[in-house]
Amino acid sequence: MVLEDNWLHSSVWKQGIFAGKVVFVTGGAGTICKDQTEAMIRLGADAAIVGRNQQKTDVAAEELRKVRNGAKVVSCPNVDVRDVHSIAEAVRKTVGELGRIDFVIAGAAGNFLADFNHLSSNAFKSVVDIDLLGSFNTVKACFDQLRSNRGAVLFVSATLHYYGVPFQIHVGAAKAGVDALSNALAVELGPLGIRVNALAPGPIANTEGIRRLAGKNKTLGSSIPIGRLGTTTDIANSTVYLFSSAAAYVTGTVQVVDGGNWHMGYRKGEYPVKILEMNQEKVTKL
Ligand code: COA
């Protein structure tokens, strides 16, 4: 587990605030979403985690069961969020075992670094399908439960589309769509008592994302206004706030949790040379 042992006691949150509630999390075995789930469980919720990989999802569910005595965590492996029926099956399993779904975290995402020249049409589509269509499908499959329980949705977005970020064309486009989806759903579903928000993490330490995106850049933390990389605990705390009754009047927002990073814009470094070289190479594949 990644949250510190004393997280619950040192945090501002009150024990048991999510007792009797169930959170359904796509990408729930990934570092960020797993820690969001852990925080919800520690505060009383039961959970279902949804993933593509059987072993990874089962192991994560087993670990999450241990964070609170009596916690129920359902593992829903072999689910591809690009297939709405596959998520619907996970919803049926969750409701069958846990009785309900109150909160939904649409966190499943795909990412890699690629310049435009090397980004095939299918690669672009793969990421847009996982991040954007997958987010739509997740809410679609959970809608009956959200409506019955006056639930809440949290999309995991990004800050990559606030300005031009090289090698992230696919993700920026997908996450811009996620924000648009979130805003429109907040307006449509508000009258049903369903709140919809997005959370946009900046660079978060010890995640697959930062390993893929920052690579060997060890100084990134010191160039962020708050002076460090984010932690999954930072994301977990924002998640708790947005699902809690403290945010009862908060919907249609994007909560940026990035230490002020995106306001610094795009840092040049060696990128312009690299981008030029990569885009000059002759690539035949579309
Ligand atoms: N650079 C350029 N293109 C890449 C790539 C890379 N690093 N990795 C994959 N692609 C391309 C593939 O070549 C393929 O395109 P093609 O058919 O034109 O050759 C396309 O992306 C789809 O790849 P595939 O492996 O079939 O897709 P997938 O659906 O199994 O995987 C990805 C989806 C590509 C997003 C994969 O990176 C993934 O599953 N990631 C999940 C985990 C993750 O990214 N976590 C980080 C979250 S921040």
Side-chain angles (χ1 to χ4, degrees):
M1 294 299 98
V2 175
L3 294 181
E4 302 82 25
D5 284 342
N6 67 348
W7 174 77
L8 187 56
H9 302 288
S10 62
S11 80
V12 299
W13 314 118
K14 197 165 68 180
Q15 209 152 0
I17 52 174
F18 297 126
K21 306 284 189 189
V22 173
V23 61
F24 180 91
V25 188
T26 68
T31 320
I32 287 183
C33 295
K34 183 163 162 239
D35 292 349
Q36 292 176 290
T37 312
E38 180 185 335
M40 297 296 289
I41 294 171
R42 283 187 190 251
L43 292 167
D46 289 326
I49 57 167
V50 176
R52 271 206 281 178
N53 182 290
Q54 168 104 44
Q55 202 208 359
K56 198 175 161 194
T57 310
D58 285 347
V59 167
E62 189 53 41
E63 284 177 17
L64 286 167
R65 279 181 204 114
K66 293 180 187 143
V67 307
R68 176 174 55 77
N69 276 342
K72 292 186 196 143
V73 180
V74 174
S75 175
C76 302
N78 306 314
V79 175
D80 190 326
V81 292
R82 291 171 282 195
D83 174 8
V84 71
H85 301 289
S86 143
I87 311 179
E89 188 48 46
V91 168
R92 274 191 289 279
K93 182 177 181 185
T94 303
V95 175
E97 295 189 27
L98 303 178
R100 56 191 292 138
I101 293 170
D102 301 273
F103 305 122
V104 174
I105 299 176
N111 200 357
F112 49 81
L113 289 172
D115 62 298
F116 177 73
N117 192 25
H118 292 86
L119 184 68
S120 72
S121 174
N122 188 46
F124 181 86
K125 180 178 186 302
S126 297
V127 170
V128 171
D129 281 357
I130 295 169
D131 291 20
L132 178 53
L133 178 63
S135 294
F136 174 89
N137 286 345
T138 301
V139 180
K140 192 80 184 162
C142 292
F143 185 48
D144 280 347
Q145 282 297 310
L146 287 165
R147 188 168 46 193
S148 302
N149 301 324
R150 299 175 73 81
V153 176
L154 189 59
F155 293 106
V156 179
S157 185
T159 59
L160 298 163
H161 49 297
Y162 298 176
Y163 52 103
V165 176
F167 307 135
Q168 289 285 272
I169 291 168
H170 42 323
V171 183
K175 296 298 191 184
V178 168
D179 287 1
L181 173 68
S182 180
N183 293 341
L185 280 176
V187 171
E188 276 204 34
L189 306 187
L192 297 170
I194 301 170
R195 292 186 303 108
V196 182
N197 291 286
L199 194 160
I204 304 298
N206 303 319
T207 58
E208 190 180 337
I210 201 77
R211 274 190 290 276
R212 283 180 185 225
L213 305 183
K216 297 193 183 94
N217 182 353
K218 301 287 177 222
T219 59
L220 181 58
S222 58
S223 71
I224 293 171
I226 290 286
R228 62 170 174 86
L229 293 174
T231 65
T232 50
T233 304
D234 293 321
I235 305 301
N237 280 321
S238 283
T239 303
V240 170
Y241 163 67
L242 287 167
F243 281 140
S244 76
S245 58
Y249 203 53
V250 179
T251 196
T253 70
V254 181
Q255 174 78 72
V256 178
V257 185
D258 77 336
N261 183 55
W262 84 265
H263 289 295
M264 300 287 286
Y266 155 59
R267 275 79 128 193
K268 285 190 177 125
E270 61 182 358
Y271 271 47
V273 178
K274 213 193 280 178
I275 295 165
L276 186 61
E277 282 170 4
M278 293 179 88
N279 277 305
Q280 275 172 334
E281 199 179 301
K282 180 75 184 156
V283 176
T284 47
K285 189 176 176 192
L286 294 175

Short mmCIF file of all heavy atoms in Angstrom, two decimals, residues 134-180:
data_model
loop_
_atom_site.label_atom_id
_atom_site.label_comp_id
_atom_site.label_asym_id
_atom_site.label_seq_id
_atom_site.Cartn_x
_atom_site.Cartn_y
_atom_site.Cartn_z
N GLY A 134 -13.51 5.11 -23.64
CA GLY A 134 -13.53 4.30 -22.41
C GLY A 134 -14.19 5.04 -21.25
O GLY A 134 -14.92 4.44 -20.45
N SER A 135 -13.97 6.33 -21.15
CA SER A 135 -14.59 7.13 -20.09
C SER A 135 -16.10 7.21 -20.31
O SER A 135 -16.89 7.07 -19.37
CB SER A 135 -13.99 8.54 -20.07
OG SER A 135 -12.64 8.49 -19.70
N PHE A 136 -16.49 7.46 -21.56
CA PHE A 136 -17.92 7.49 -21.89
C PHE A 136 -18.56 6.14 -21.55
O PHE A 136 -19.61 6.07 -20.88
CB PHE A 136 -18.10 7.80 -23.38
CG PHE A 136 -19.54 7.72 -23.84
CD1 PHE A 136 -20.38 8.82 -23.78
CD2 PHE A 136 -20.06 6.52 -24.33
CE1 PHE A 136 -21.71 8.73 -24.20
CE2 PHE A 136 -21.38 6.43 -24.74
CZ PHE A 136 -22.21 7.53 -24.68
N ASN A 137 -17.92 5.06 -22.01
CA ASN A 137 -18.47 3.72 -21.79
C ASN A 137 -18.64 3.41 -20.31
O ASN A 137 -19.60 2.74 -19.90
CB ASN A 137 -17.54 2.66 -22.41
CG ASN A 137 -17.63 2.62 -23.93
OD1 ASN A 137 -18.55 3.18 -24.52
ND2 ASN A 137 -16.66 1.98 -24.56
N THR A 138 -17.70 3.88 -19.51
CA THR A 138 -17.74 3.59 -18.08
C THR A 138 -18.98 4.21 -17.44
O THR A 138 -19.71 3.56 -16.68
CB THR A 138 -16.45 4.11 -17.41
OG1 THR A 138 -15.34 3.45 -18.03
CG2 THR A 138 -16.44 3.83 -15.92
N VAL A 139 -19.23 5.46 -17.77
CA VAL A 139 -20.42 6.12 -17.19
C VAL A 139 -21.70 5.49 -17.77
O VAL A 139 -22.68 5.28 -17.06
CB VAL A 139 -20.39 7.64 -17.45
CG1 VAL A 139 -21.62 8.32 -16.86
CG2 VAL A 139 -19.13 8.25 -16.85
N LYS A 140 -21.64 5.16 -19.06
CA LYS A 140 -22.80 4.53 -19.72
C LYS A 140 -23.19 3.25 -18.97
O LYS A 140 -24.35 3.03 -18.64
CB LYS A 140 -22.42 4.20 -21.17
CG LYS A 140 -23.56 3.81 -22.05
CD LYS A 140 -24.29 5.04 -22.50
CE LYS A 140 -25.51 4.70 -23.33
NZ LYS A 140 -26.43 5.84 -23.41
N ALA A 141 -22.19 2.42 -18.71
CA ALA A 141 -22.46 1.13 -18.08
C ALA A 141 -22.90 1.28 -16.62
O ALA A 141 -23.62 0.43 -16.09
CB ALA A 141 -21.23 0.23 -18.18
N CYS A 142 -22.48 2.35 -15.98
CA CYS A 142 -22.81 2.56 -14.55
C CYS A 142 -24.04 3.43 -14.36
O CYS A 142 -24.43 3.70 -13.21
CB CYS A 142 -21.63 3.23 -13.84
SG CYS A 142 -20.18 2.18 -13.70
N PHE A 143 -24.64 3.88 -15.44
CA PHE A 143 -25.65 4.94 -15.33
C PHE A 143 -26.84 4.55 -14.45
O PHE A 143 -27.30 5.34 -13.62
CB PHE A 143 -26.11 5.36 -16.74
CG PHE A 143 -27.07 6.53 -16.73
CD1 PHE A 143 -26.79 7.67 -15.98
CD2 PHE A 143 -28.25 6.48 -17.46
CE1 PHE A 143 -27.67 8.76 -15.97
CE2 PHE A 143 -29.13 7.55 -17.44
CZ PHE A 143 -28.84 8.69 -16.70
N ASP A 144 -27.36 3.35 -14.61
CA ASP A 144 -28.52 2.94 -13.79
C ASP A 144 -28.20 3.05 -12.31
O ASP A 144 -29.01 3.53 -11.51
CB ASP A 144 -28.93 1.49 -14.11
CG ASP A 144 -29.75 1.40 -15.38
OD1 ASP A 144 -30.22 2.47 -15.86
OD2 ASP A 144 -29.91 0.28 -15.90
N GLN A 145 -27.01 2.59 -11.94
CA GLN A 145 -26.61 2.63 -10.53
C GLN A 145 -26.41 4.07 -10.06
O GLN A 145 -26.83 4.44 -8.96
CB GLN A 145 -25.31 1.84 -10.35
CG GLN A 145 -25.51 0.35 -10.32
CD GLN A 145 -26.37 -0.08 -9.15
OE1 GLN A 145 -26.13 0.30 -8.02
NE2 GLN A 145 -27.38 -0.88 -9.42
N LEU A 146 -25.79 4.89 -10.90
CA LEU A 146 -25.56 6.29 -10.52
C LEU A 146 -26.89 7.02 -10.32
O LEU A 146 -27.06 7.81 -9.39
CB LEU A 146 -24.75 7.00 -11.61
CG LEU A 146 -23.27 6.61 -11.68
CD1 LEU A 146 -22.65 7.08 -13.00
CD2 LEU A 146 -22.50 7.21 -10.50
N ARG A 147 -27.85 6.70 -11.19
CA ARG A 147 -29.17 7.35 -11.13
C ARG A 147 -29.91 6.89 -9.88
O ARG A 147 -30.49 7.70 -9.15
CB ARG A 147 -29.95 7.01 -12.40
CG ARG A 147 -31.26 7.75 -12.55
CD ARG A 147 -31.81 7.59 -13.95
NE ARG A 147 -31.76 6.22 -14.43
CZ ARG A 147 -31.95 5.86 -15.69
NH1 ARG A 147 -32.18 6.76 -16.62
NH2 ARG A 147 -31.89 4.60 -16.06
N SER A 148 -29.88 5.58 -9.60
CA SER A 148 -30.59 5.06 -8.43
C SER A 148 -30.01 5.61 -7.14
O SER A 148 -30.73 5.85 -6.17
CB SER A 148 -30.48 3.53 -8.35
OG SER A 148 -30.99 2.96 -9.51
N ASN A 149 -28.69 5.79 -7.11
CA ASN A 149 -28.02 6.12 -5.84
C ASN A 149 -27.58 7.58 -5.76
O ASN A 149 -26.88 7.96 -4.83
CB ASN A 149 -26.80 5.21 -5.65
CG ASN A 149 -27.21 3.75 -5.63
OD1 ASN A 149 -28.27 3.42 -5.12
ND2 ASN A 149 -26.41 2.88 -6.22
N ARG A 150 -28.02 8.39 -6.75
CA ARG A 150 -27.60 9.80 -6.80
C ARG A 150 -26.09 9.89 -6.57
O ARG A 150 -25.60 10.56 -5.66
CB ARG A 150 -28.39 10.64 -5.79
CG ARG A 150 -29.90 10.62 -6.08
CD ARG A 150 -30.71 11.33 -5.02
NE ARG A 150 -30.58 12.77 -5.07
CZ ARG A 150 -31.24 13.58 -5.90
NH1 ARG A 150 -32.08 13.08 -6.79
NH2 ARG A 150 -31.06 14.89 -5.85
N GLY A 151 -25.38 9.18 -7.43
CA GLY A 151 -23.93 8.98 -7.24
C GLY A 151 -23.08 10.12 -7.78
O GLY A 151 -23.58 11.20 -8.10
N ALA A 152 -21.80 9.84 -7.89
CA ALA A 152 -20.85 10.84 -8.38
C ALA A 152 -19.80 10.17 -9.25
O ALA A 152 -19.43 9.02 -9.03
CB ALA A 152 -20.18 11.56 -7.21
N VAL A 153 -19.33 10.94 -10.24
CA VAL A 153 -18.34 10.44 -11.20
C VAL A 153 -17.08 11.29 -11.10
O VAL A 153 -17.16 12.51 -10.95
CB VAL A 153 -18.89 10.55 -12.65
CG1 VAL A 153 -17.84 10.12 -13.67
CG2 VAL A 153 -20.17 9.74 -12.81
N LEU A 154 -15.94 10.63 -11.21
CA LEU A 154 -14.67 11.35 -11.29
C LEU A 154 -13.87 10.82 -12.49
O LEU A 154 -13.53 9.63 -12.53
CB LEU A 154 -13.86 11.15 -9.99
CG LEU A 154 -12.61 12.00 -9.85
CD1 LEU A 154 -12.93 13.48 -9.90
CD2 LEU A 154 -11.91 11.67 -8.53
N PHE A 155 -13.63 11.70 -13.46
CA PHE A 155 -12.78 11.32 -14.60
C PHE A 155 -11.34 11.66 -14.25
O PHE A 155 -11.07 12.70 -13.64
CB PHE A 155 -13.17 12.12 -15.84
CG PHE A 155 -14.54 11.78 -16.38
CD1 PHE A 155 -15.60 12.65 -16.21
CD2 PHE A 155 -14.76 10.59 -17.06
CE1 PHE A 155 -16.86 12.34 -16.70
CE2 PHE A 155 -16.01 10.27 -17.56
CZ PHE A 155 -17.07 11.15 -17.39
N VAL A 156 -10.41 10.80 -14.67
CA VAL A 156 -9.00 11.15 -14.50
C VAL A 156 -8.53 11.79 -15.81
O VAL A 156 -8.48 11.13 -16.85
CB VAL A 156 -8.15 9.93 -14.12
CG1 VAL A 156 -6.69 10.34 -13.98
CG2 VAL A 156 -8.65 9.34 -12.80
N SER A 157 -8.26 13.08 -15.74
CA SER A 157 -7.87 13.84 -16.92
C SER A 157 -6.36 14.13 -16.88
O SER A 157 -5.58 13.33 -16.34
CB SER A 157 -8.71 15.12 -16.97
OG SER A 157 -8.45 15.84 -18.15
N ALA A 158 -5.95 15.25 -17.42
CA ALA A 158 -4.53 15.63 -17.45
C ALA A 158 -4.47 17.12 -17.73
O ALA A 158 -5.50 17.78 -17.91
CB ALA A 158 -3.80 14.85 -18.55
N THR A 159 -3.26 17.67 -17.76
CA THR A 159 -3.10 19.09 -18.09
C THR A 159 -2.44 19.27 -19.46
O THR A 159 -2.12 20.38 -19.86
CB THR A 159 -2.22 19.80 -17.03
OG1 THR A 159 -0.95 19.15 -16.99
CG2 THR A 159 -2.86 19.73 -15.64
N LEU A 160 -2.24 18.15 -20.16
CA LEU A 160 -1.46 18.16 -21.40
C LEU A 160 -2.09 18.96 -22.54
O LEU A 160 -1.41 19.30 -23.50
CB LEU A 160 -1.28 16.71 -21.89
CG LEU A 160 -0.51 15.80 -20.95
CD1 LEU A 160 -0.74 14.36 -21.30
CD2 LEU A 160 0.97 16.16 -21.02
N HIS A 161 -3.39 19.22 -22.43
CA HIS A 161 -4.07 19.93 -23.52
C HIS A 161 -4.26 21.41 -23.20
O HIS A 161 -4.93 22.11 -23.93
CB HIS A 161 -5.42 19.26 -23.77
CG HIS A 161 -6.25 19.03 -22.54
ND1 HIS A 161 -5.84 18.20 -21.53
CD2 HIS A 161 -7.43 19.53 -22.14
CE1 HIS A 161 -6.74 18.19 -20.57
NE2 HIS A 161 -7.72 19.00 -20.91
N TYR A 162 -3.68 21.88 -22.09
CA TYR A 162 -3.82 23.30 -21.76
C TYR A 162 -2.86 24.14 -22.59
O TYR A 162 -3.00 25.34 -22.70
CB TYR A 162 -3.54 23.54 -20.27
CG TYR A 162 -4.48 22.84 -19.32
CD1 TYR A 162 -4.28 22.92 -17.95
CD2 TYR A 162 -5.59 22.12 -19.76
CE1 TYR A 162 -5.13 22.29 -17.05
CE2 TYR A 162 -6.44 21.48 -18.87
CZ TYR A 162 -6.20 21.56 -17.52
OH TYR A 162 -7.04 20.94 -16.64
N TYR A 163 -1.85 23.48 -23.12
CA TYR A 163 -0.87 24.13 -23.99
C TYR A 163 -0.29 23.04 -24.87
O TYR A 163 -0.62 21.86 -24.70
CB TYR A 163 0.22 24.85 -23.16
CG TYR A 163 0.89 23.98 -22.12
CD1 TYR A 163 2.14 23.47 -22.33
CD2 TYR A 163 0.24 23.67 -20.92
CE1 TYR A 163 2.76 22.66 -21.39
CE2 TYR A 163 0.84 22.87 -19.97
CZ TYR A 163 2.11 22.37 -20.21
OH TYR A 163 2.71 21.56 -19.28
N GLY A 164 0.55 23.39 -25.84
CA GLY A 164 1.07 22.38 -26.75
C GLY A 164 2.18 21.56 -26.11
O GLY A 164 3.24 22.09 -25.82
N VAL A 165 1.91 20.28 -25.88
CA VAL A 165 2.94 19.41 -25.29
C VAL A 165 3.41 18.42 -26.35
O VAL A 165 2.62 17.63 -26.86
CB VAL A 165 2.39 18.66 -24.05
CG1 VAL A 165 3.44 17.69 -23.51
CG2 VAL A 165 1.97 19.65 -22.98
N PRO A 166 4.70 18.47 -26.71
CA PRO A 166 5.18 17.58 -27.76
C PRO A 166 5.12 16.11 -27.35
O PRO A 166 5.22 15.79 -26.16
CB PRO A 166 6.64 18.02 -27.95
CG PRO A 166 7.01 18.72 -26.69
CD PRO A 166 5.75 19.32 -26.15
N PHE A 167 4.97 15.26 -28.32
CA PHE A 167 4.93 13.80 -28.14
C PHE A 167 3.68 13.32 -27.39
O PHE A 167 3.60 12.17 -26.99
CB PHE A 167 6.19 13.28 -27.41
CG PHE A 167 7.49 13.71 -28.03
CD1 PHE A 167 8.53 14.18 -27.25
CD2 PHE A 167 7.67 13.62 -29.40
CE1 PHE A 167 9.73 14.57 -27.83
CE2 PHE A 167 8.87 14.01 -29.99
CZ PHE A 167 9.90 14.49 -29.20
N GLN A 168 2.73 14.21 -27.17
CA GLN A 168 1.53 13.85 -26.41
C GLN A 168 0.27 14.28 -27.16
O GLN A 168 -0.77 14.57 -26.53
CB GLN A 168 1.57 14.50 -25.02
CG GLN A 168 2.61 13.88 -24.11
CD GLN A 168 2.17 12.53 -23.58
OE1 GLN A 168 1.52 12.42 -22.56
NE2 GLN A 168 2.52 11.46 -24.30
N ILE A 169 0.35 14.33 -28.49
CA ILE A 169 -0.78 14.74 -29.32
C ILE A 169 -2.01 13.89 -29.02
O ILE A 169 -3.12 14.39 -28.83
CB ILE A 169 -0.42 14.60 -30.81
CG1 ILE A 169 0.63 15.64 -31.20
CG2 ILE A 169 -1.65 14.71 -31.70
CD1 ILE A 169 1.25 15.39 -32.57
N HIS A 170 -1.81 12.59 -28.99
CA HIS A 170 -2.89 11.63 -28.80
C HIS A 170 -3.55 11.78 -27.43
O HIS A 170 -4.78 11.83 -27.31
CB HIS A 170 -2.38 10.20 -29.01
CG HIS A 170 -1.03 9.93 -28.39
ND1 HIS A 170 -0.01 10.85 -28.36
CD2 HIS A 170 -0.53 8.83 -27.77
CE1 HIS A 170 1.06 10.34 -27.76
NE2 HIS A 170 0.76 9.11 -27.38
N VAL A 171 -2.72 11.91 -26.39
CA VAL A 171 -3.27 11.98 -25.03
C VAL A 171 -3.94 13.34 -24.80
O VAL A 171 -5.02 13.42 -24.22
CB VAL A 171 -2.18 11.75 -23.97
CG1 VAL A 171 -2.78 11.75 -22.58
CG2 VAL A 171 -1.49 10.43 -24.22
N GLY A 172 -3.28 14.40 -25.29
CA GLY A 172 -3.87 15.74 -25.13
C GLY A 172 -5.24 15.81 -25.78
O GLY A 172 -6.20 16.34 -25.19
N ALA A 173 -5.34 15.26 -26.99
CA ALA A 173 -6.63 15.29 -27.70
C ALA A 173 -7.68 14.48 -26.92
O ALA A 173 -8.83 14.91 -26.75
CB ALA A 173 -6.46 14.72 -29.10
N ALA A 174 -7.27 13.32 -26.42
CA ALA A 174 -8.20 12.46 -25.68
C ALA A 174 -8.66 13.13 -24.39
O ALA A 174 -9.85 13.13 -24.05
CB ALA A 174 -7.54 11.12 -25.37
N LYS A 175 -7.74 13.73 -23.67
CA LYS A 175 -8.09 14.32 -22.37
C LYS A 175 -8.90 15.60 -22.55
O LYS A 175 -9.73 15.93 -21.69
CB LYS A 175 -6.84 14.58 -21.54
CG LYS A 175 -6.06 13.31 -21.16
CD LYS A 175 -6.87 12.34 -20.30
CE LYS A 175 -5.98 11.24 -19.73
NZ LYS A 175 -6.72 10.22 -18.97
N ALA A 176 -8.66 16.34 -23.64
CA ALA A 176 -9.53 17.50 -23.93
C ALA A 176 -10.96 17.01 -24.09
O ALA A 176 -11.91 17.64 -23.61
CB ALA A 176 -9.06 18.21 -25.19
N GLY A 177 -11.11 15.87 -24.76
CA GLY A 177 -12.43 15.27 -24.92
C GLY A 177 -13.02 14.84 -23.58
O GLY A 177 -14.22 15.00 -23.34
N VAL A 178 -12.18 14.29 -22.73
CA VAL A 178 -12.65 13.86 -21.40
C VAL A 178 -13.20 15.06 -20.62
O VAL A 178 -14.26 14.98 -19.99
CB VAL A 178 -11.52 13.15 -20.61
CG1 VAL A 178 -11.90 12.95 -19.15
CG2 VAL A 178 -11.18 11.81 -21.26
N ASP A 179 -12.49 16.19 -20.67
CA ASP A 179 -12.98 17.38 -19.97
C ASP A 179 -14.32 17.84 -20.53
O ASP A 179 -15.23 18.23 -19.78
CB ASP A 179 -11.96 18.52 -20.07
CG ASP A 179 -10.73 18.28 -19.20
OD1 ASP A 179 -10.66 17.22 -18.55
OD2 ASP A 179 -9.84 19.15 -19.19
N ALA A 180 -14.45 17.80 -21.86
CA ALA A 180 -15.71 18.21 -22.49
C ALA A 180 -16.84 17.26 -22.08
O ALA A 180 -17.96 17.69 -21.77
CB ALA A 180 -15.55 18.22 -24.01
#
